[in-house]
Amino acid sequence: MSEERPTPEPPEPAEPQVPLAADADADADAWATACAEDLAAEKARRRTTYGPPPGSAAEELKKLVDTVAEKLSGLQSPLFGAVAGPAAQQVVRQVVEQAKAAVEPVIERNPDVFDHLAAAGNELLAAYRSAVQAQERRWTAGDRGEPDDPRDRGDRGDGSGPGQRIDLD
């Protein structure tokens, strides 16, 4: 017998285990279910903390039209007088109903338009706010001897106009 030890044969490479389609589907479904549950829990938490979320711009416009119509219909003006009061109220109700009849179909057909208009209004408000804040900063900073605008660095001569003095010689 020889003293050499037999070399062990290397193990055969194992085939990689590919998850079965059913396992992958179950994992995806479990993930989707967990995400949906987390989202529902977060929405419920926010609803209790902040109240119900505002509706779309179209829904809010409908509420506004209904509220204004209700207030105008119930308005009793001393300008109409005691005699013309009921007739004037009837005219106001008719005008309000005609306005609602004209506005509501437009809102129902184009709800996304009102969302886009609301977003554009928010962007315009942000731009305006930024401009006002920048102007307020310049006003409150005071004159430090050097103008903020590079166009203001030229000699203005007697200060009677916005133009710069140009030496033509």
Side-chain angles (χ1 to χ4, degrees), residues 1-15:
M1 286 226 227
S2 76
E3 294 186 24
E4 290 182 25
R5 293 187 187 180
T7 58
E9 292 191 26
E12 292 182 23
E15 291 184 26

Side-chain angles (χ1 to χ4, degrees), residues 27-92:
D27 289 343
D29 289 342
W31 179 258
T33 303
C35 288
E37 289 171 356
D38 289 346
L39 183 61
E42 179 64 18
K43 284 182 179 180
R45 185 190 66 80
R46 286 179 183 246
R47 203 172 302 119
T48 58
T49 303
Y50 302 112
S56 69
E59 291 171 359
E60 294 298 319
L61 183 59
K62 278 184 183 179
K63 288 179 187 177
L64 176 66
V65 168
D66 290 340
T67 303
V68 169
E70 182 181 313
K71 292 292 181 184
L72 285 177
S73 296
L75 186 66
Q76 293 183 0
S77 175
L79 299 175
F80 298 136
V83 176
Q89 282 184 335
Q90 184 63 28
V91 170
V92 168

Side-chain angles (χ1 to χ4, degrees), residues 19 34 55 81 138 165:
R138 284 193 291 267
R165 182 174 175 193

